[in-house]
Amino acid sequence: MSSPSATLADAPMPQRYPNVVPGEVRCFPHEQPPRVAMYGDIDLTTQPQLERACQELTDFTPADVVVDLADVTFLGCVALRLLIELTERLSPTGHTMTIPSPSLPARRLLELAGFL
């Protein structure tokens, strides 16, 4: 009885996730109301950007905040941390966070987490 064997080919490996769009987080604290916009895949690779955005928003006088998730292709749990922190910081001041028209991937996680 022979054992199964495999041969490695020099062919390029197919891309595992071909639709992955690198994530980007931009903060616009001077807009009225201040806005955070996220684009592409928001996951652990964007955590430093998320932390900077949260810090930028907290450096300014409390105000209502808009979180733009319309162009998000994946929203990971790391983004929930930003949303929870913003909610916790805004609630005592009477200000709110608004998420207008989130993309379908973002909407799914927001619904599961109880934000919508």
Side-chain angles (χ1 to χ4, degrees):
M1 182 179 225
S2 65
S3 61
S5 64
T7 26
L8 297 175
D10 290 330
M13 294 290 291
Q15 190 175 4
R16 196 168 184 176
Y17 302 104
N19 297 326
V20 170
V21 177
E24 185 177 357
V25 180
R26 293 184 186 168
C27 187
F28 303 93
H30 299 291
E31 288 184 5
Q32 292 301 319
R35 180 173 61 99
V36 175
M38 300 182 202
Y39 310 91
D41 285 3
I42 305 302
D43 54 19
L44 283 175
T45 61
T46 56
Q47 185 170 357
Q49 294 177 48
L50 288 165
E51 289 172 354
R52 274 192 307 274
C54 193
Q55 186 60 48
E56 283 183 56
L57 289 174
T58 57
D59 286 346
F60 288 88
T61 305
D64 293 344
V65 174
V66 173
V67 179
D68 182 353
L69 302 176
D71 295 318
V72 168
T73 53
F74 173 80
L75 189 66
C77 292
V78 69
L80 287 178
R81 185 171 146 218
L82 170 77
L83 299 177
I84 290 168
E85 284 182 24
L86 282 175
T87 302
E88 288 176 349
R89 290 180 179 169
L90 293 173
S91 290
T93 67
H95 295 284
T96 60
M97 176 181 63
T98 304
I99 305 171
S101 305
S103 67
L104 290 177
R107 178 177 291 282
R108 181 157 193 258
L109 183 63
L110 294 172
E111 287 172 348
L112 291 171
F115 275 97
L116 296 178

